[in-house]
Every structure is written in structure tokens, then in C-alpha cells.
Amino acid sequence: MPRILTLAGAQTGPIQRADSRARTLDRLIALLERAAKDGAQCVVFPELALTTFFPRWLLSEAELDACFETSMPNPDCQALFDRARELRVGFYLGFAERTEAGKRFNTAITVGPDGAILGKYRKVHLPGSVEPREGDRFQQLEKRYFEYGDLGFPAFRGPAEWNRPVMGMLVCNDRRWPEAWRCYGLQGVEVMLMGYNSAAYDPNGGTTEGAELRTFHSTLAAQSNAYMNATWAVSVAKAGVEDGSGLIGGSVIVSPDGIVVAQARTLEDEVILAECDLDACRQGKEKMFNFAAHRRPEHYRRIVEQVGATPPAD
Amino acid sequence: MPRILTLAGAQTGPIQRADSRARTLDRLIALLERAAKDGAQCVVFPELALTTFFPRWLLSEAELDACFETSMPNPDCQALFDRARELRVGFYLGFAERTEAGKRFNTAITVGPDGAILGKYRKVHLPGSVEPREGDRFQQLEKRYFEYGDLGFPAFRGPAEWNRPVMGMLVCNDRRWPEAWRCYGLQGVEVMLMGYNSAAYDPNGGTTEGAELRTFHSTLAAQSNAYMNATWAVSVAKAGVEDGSGLIGGSVIVSPDGIVVAQARTLEDEVILAECDLDACRQGKEKMFNFAAHRRPEHYRRIVEQVGATPPAD
């Protein structure tokens, strides 16, 4: 009997800085309801789904505080949690987290159909810089505003009504790092959930990358890492022109064969959905990517013993 | 000034067991000459380019010995080395190696334009099984016939007339393993050379994979790992029906952006070629994949501390 889990991606259009939280929550709930109506059991929202992508600006501490959640759920997003539980739909939600101790993380949680938080992840691969780049209208200041995730890559099991899948989460830039995927692969991941806010231009200040190339990279990373770890993957954008700055769309659901089975067509609020047979992971996990049979960690030590690249002498 | 290196892939059609070495060498030399005429400076031949893919059969020791080279070059392939040096073209060549001590490896070398051996690699990720699968017409006995590569992933520099690229080699199945690519990425690889013999059906005995899916996987692995390590890659097949068993084609040259810039269209002897600007690697290496700035090895320890997957408790 196939182990089916119906997964959805709830891509959002831009969430402008001027938008009220109530308006944003209404949009997320509308997407959740649309996905639930189509049979979704677990809905993936983007990274930083409750706010604009604020690391594009140099902000004061007070401005910054307004972007962070100090608990989750909290009164400002309780309605989403309540509606999801009513519908018995789970979800992945990205948001900016401030801990009691004042630490700030770029975080995602997965919530089960009963409203319980199944897992929490804090983004490990923070892109951008600590100091703003002079003269640039838009910055990428994640390294300034967030600490590096301190939870590692913690896989967890979904509930029985989802057929107990091994699940993992990544946030945005993490999806381009095969190390992150492999750490989940080594925990037998069957469903990878990922939200992103990816600029439609080079966020590092270059001029050679545009929306088409960056959308291609986003899809390529999801396809190949899903294939190489024999897992389903749901990769979901906040898209469109947000506060004057372009974000790519291209949300996808990818099979363990690396095949795109659902893909967003717009840069707006849009639901993508697929019935995913978790047992489709077995072909890869038991054959080509039977790690126990084929991996040779004695030759991989560079991966943990050095950080940057050290080319041979010229 | 761009640092151009003109790379070629010399895909071959099948090399039947009954083919004489002289005939095989004539074909390789013809491909080399064709590539050189088009301006190639370095030509990539397939894995096990001098023989049929013999691990598909259970062979006697004597039959096996006939498939292995005990030195390289040797009188049976000297003509290829001589012609390459005359043309001042380098090449990657995959072959079955038997050492003086009697160890057997699935090996590749890269030869410079002056005929010197620049680098040697022994396949780390051996697929297949030690024992034959009962009842199957074709086996995959690489784990029986070869030892695991014992040289790690040793990057090396090409010569001045190639603009001193950092080069790496993989063999066939290695190209699906992001750990292997990353070990070269951490040495600043700019040109990855790979040959393969990949079955047009599931070589592990399954029934869900055909030539189209397996060609897609081959290309996806080359594209994504080239992108995630910001390197050029040349991935070259032995293709077609070899001794009754199908092999995929789909040889490609891929840019550091993961874009296919040249692709074989046949399952026969065919040359693909691209003028590659080595400095095109800089965008990725200095920004998105600036390893020193963005990697977090403290979270990657699973990659070396465990071999197989260990899922969370059900």
C-alpha cells in the first residue's frame, strides 16, 4: 500500500513593509484554506512569511525589533494556528525569532495537524554581510541581524496520519548547500520543507545574475539534492516586487527522482500541490544512494576539517 | 583578460568485447584528431575507455587479467599518447588498472599537452555488488573486481598553456556523490573531468529506471554539482548497446552556473567542445559559494562520523 502524503506549497507574493500583520495573516489563511480544499495535509509557507525581507535595509534596533517574534505561536499569528488545527492541516512557517536571551535567528517550524510544533530549525547558511555595502540601494544583512543556527539539522517524524515520514527543514540559502541536505539524508529524510526569499538580481552586488538564472539555480538545487538524498522536497518562494526589490518565484515540489511534479507559474499568492508517495524514496535509498553500502567517509574529511577553499600551489 | 581553456568530450559508442585494441585505439585517436582540429586543448574520454564494461559479467581470473593495464602508457596504447603529444592536446583517460602488487582499481589519468601525466585518480564510489545477482543476464560487479580508490580526491594544476587551472577527476558513479565534488571544491577546482559507463536500465536490478530517466540523472548531477562548486565540468559517456547491454549517452560540458553549454546528440563516437573561461568560476567562488565566509563545518560532522542512514525512531 503506498504511503501517501499530500504536500502543498503556499507561495506568497510580496509582503510589503506597510502591510498590517492582520492583512498578511488573512493572506496566509486564505492560501491554507485553498490548499486544504485541494486535499493538502501539510502546507509550506516561505521564509520570513510574516514580514517583508527586512535584511535588505540597515535598520535601527527599534525598527528591527518590530520584525521579530518573541514567541510562537503568539497573539499576532494565533489565527493561522487555529484555522490550521480546525482544518487538520499542518504547515511549515518561516519567521524571524528573538529568544528570551535576546538572540536572533532566521527560523522555521513545522506544525502538525493537531497544532503541535513537530520540529524547529534555525538557518545555518546565512548569506550576505555584517557591514552594509556602500552606495547600494538594497543590502543583504542577514549576517548582521541573525546568529548562525545552533540546532544543526534535526530530522523528525511526522504524525501517523501523515504516514510517519522522516522530515527535515531548511531555510532559503541552505538549499544550495549539499552538506545540509546530506546531514538530513543521513537521517533518512523523506520530506524536505524549505521556504525562501531570493533576490531576482545578485544580492551580493554583482551584475551577471538575473531572475531567470537565479530561478534556474533555485530549481536545480532542489531537484539535484532531492535526487541525491532520495527525498521529496517542497521549496517555496516569497515572490514579486517587495518594497521595490525583486524576488524570484519558481516554487516547486520535487520527487525523489529529482523531477519537478508541481511548479508555481506566477509571482503572486499561489498554491502548488502534489500527492506524494513516501515509498518512492525507497528506490534511491536502497540502491543508488544506499549510503551504508557506498559512502566512503574516510575520504571526506576535508568537508569538516577545513572551512574555505585551499587550492594547490600555482 | 579571460583565461580560456578549450575543453572537449570524446564520447564513444560501444567498445565490444570482440573489438581489437588496435581498432579501439584507432577510434580514440580519430576522436582526438577531430577535437584537436576544432581547437580542443584537453579531451575527455570515457571511463574504461579501452575495453568493454566487463563488470557486467562474472569472469575467470584469466579473462579478467585481459581487461587490465599493468602500466600506463604501455605498448598497447602508446599510439594515443604519441599522437596527443604531436598535436599538443592533453586528455583524460579511464582504464582498468592492475598494480605491481596485484591491486585492481577503476582509474583515470589526465595527461598534459607534453605527454606528462598530470594527475591520477582511482574511483572511490564503486557501485554494484561483490556477489552476482542470481538469474540476471547482466551484473554490476565493480565491488568484486576493484578495490576502493585509495588516493582520495587529489586536485592538481594544469600547465601554463592551459592557464594553470585547478583540475579534478571523478569516475562514473562518483559524479552523483556531492561529498566527492565538495572535496575538490575545497581545493578550488575550476575544471572537473569525468568519464562514465552508465546502464540504460537499473543496474541494481530494479524496473523503474530507463534510459531517459538515467540520462536526466546524469545531467542533473553534473549541472548541480558544477554549480554548487562553481566549476566547469566535462562528463563523458561510453554509449550505445555494448555486448547486448544498453549504455546511456548524454555527454555534457557544463558551466560554473550549471548550464549545459555542449551536449552529445548520439549514442556513437561524437565530439562535444566548448571554449571555457576559467574566470567564470569566480562569481560563484567569491560570492554565493565563498566557502570561507559561509560554510559551517561544526554542523556537518555526521558526514564523516556515520556511513549509513540512521532515521529517528518510528
Side-chain angles (χ1 to χ4, degrees), chain B residues 110-311:
Chain B
T110 296
V111 176
D114 61 353
I117 293 177
L118 297 172
K120 180 175 187 166
Y121 172 73
R122 290 168 171 163
K123 185 174 184 175
V124 166
H125 296 95
L126 297 174
S129 56
V130 174
E131 295 305 323
R133 291 186 310 265
E134 212 159 324
D136 280 9
R137 182 169 169 216
F138 295 115
Q139 304 292 333
Q140 201 334 349
L141 294 171
E142 287 192 57
K143 282 193 196 290
R144 184 185 191 90
Y145 296 150
F146 301 116
E147 301 197 34
Y148 291 107
D150 59 355
L151 302 174
F153 302 102
F156 57 94
R157 290 265 183 189
E161 68 192 87
W162 293 359
N163 284 302
R164 302 286 288 148
V166 180
M167 307 184 75
M169 290 183 278
L170 294 171
V171 175
C172 194
N173 188 248
D174 287 314
R175 75 197 187 283
R176 308 180 202 269
W177 294 85
E179 295 93 336
W181 287 81
R182 188 59 106 218
C183 287
Y184 283 118
L186 285 164
Q187 297 169 80
V189 67
E190 298 173 300
V191 180
M192 187 74 91
L193 309 180
M194 313 183 281
Y196 59 91
N197 288 222
S198 291
Y201 53 87
D202 183 349
N204 299 305
T207 57
T208 59
E209 298 186 6
E212 189 185 355
L213 182 61
R214 289 180 54 83
T215 307
F216 166 73
H217 286 163
S218 180
T219 306
L220 180 65
Q223 289 183 274
S224 62
N225 287 298
Y227 164 61
M228 294 189 294
N229 292 282
T231 180
W232 290 94
V234 187
S235 186
V236 177
K238 171 137 57 77
V241 180
E242 187 176 79
D243 289 310
S245 180
L247 296 170
I248 63 167
S251 302
V252 286
I253 302 176
V254 175
S255 82
D257 263 319
I259 292 172
V260 172
V261 298
Q263 186 160 30
R265 291 155 187 266
T266 72
L267 298 176
E268 320 265 325
D269 291 9
E270 178 179 352
V271 171
I272 58 174
L273 184 136
E275 280 190 18
C276 304
D277 179 1
L278 301 168
D279 284 340
C281 303
R282 291 180 57 184
Q283 165 76 6
K285 288 190 193 302
E286 294 173 5
K287 294 181 177 173
M288 185 69 82
F289 300 110
N290 177 336
F291 293 159
H294 301 310
R295 293 181 77 249
R296 309 300 301 170
E298 66 272 28
H299 291 302
Y300 305 156
R301 299 212 57 88
R302 267 182 200 281
I303 292 172
V304 297
E305 289 178 355
Q306 70 185 74
V307 182
T310 53

Side-chain angles (χ1 to χ4, degrees), chain A residues 125 143 149 157 164 179 182 186 202 209 217 224 257 283 293-295 299-300 303 306 310 312 314, chain B residues 125 143 149 157 164 179 182 186 202 209 217 224 257 283 293-295 299-300 303 306 310 312 314:
Chain A
H125 296 95
K143 281 194 197 290
R157 289 266 182 190
R164 303 285 289 148
E179 294 94 335
R182 189 58 106 220
L186 285 164
D202 183 350
E209 298 186 7
H217 286 162
S224 62
D257 263 320
Q283 165 76 6
H294 301 312
R295 292 181 77 247
H299 292 302
Y300 305 157
I303 292 171
Q306 70 185 72
T310 52
D314 194 0
Chain B
H125 296 95
K143 282 193 196 290
R157 290 265 183 189
R164 302 286 288 148
E179 295 93 336
R182 188 59 106 218
L186 285 164
D202 183 349
E209 298 186 6
H217 286 163
S224 62
D257 263 319
Q283 165 76 6
H294 301 310
R295 293 181 77 249
H299 291 302
Y300 305 156
I303 292 172
Q306 70 185 74
T310 53
D314 195 358

Side-chain angles (χ1 to χ4, degrees), chain A residues 127-158:
Chain A
S129 55
V130 174
E131 296 305 323
R133 291 186 311 264
E134 213 160 325
D136 279 8
R137 182 171 169 214
F138 296 114
Q139 304 293 333
Q140 202 333 348
L141 293 172
E142 287 192 57
K143 281 194 197 290
R144 184 185 191 88
Y145 296 150
F146 301 115
E147 301 196 34
Y148 292 106
D150 59 354
L151 302 174
F153 302 102
F156 56 95
R157 289 266 182 190

Side-chain angles (χ1 to χ4, degrees), chain B residues 54-77:
Chain B
F54 58 85
R56 70 169 66 91
W57 301 296
L58 186 61
L59 300 176
S60 70
E61 284 296 308
E63 288 171 319
L64 209 53
D65 276 351
C67 300
F68 280 76
E69 316 298 314
T70 53
S71 61
M72 186 57 67
N74 61 52
D76 288 347
C77 53

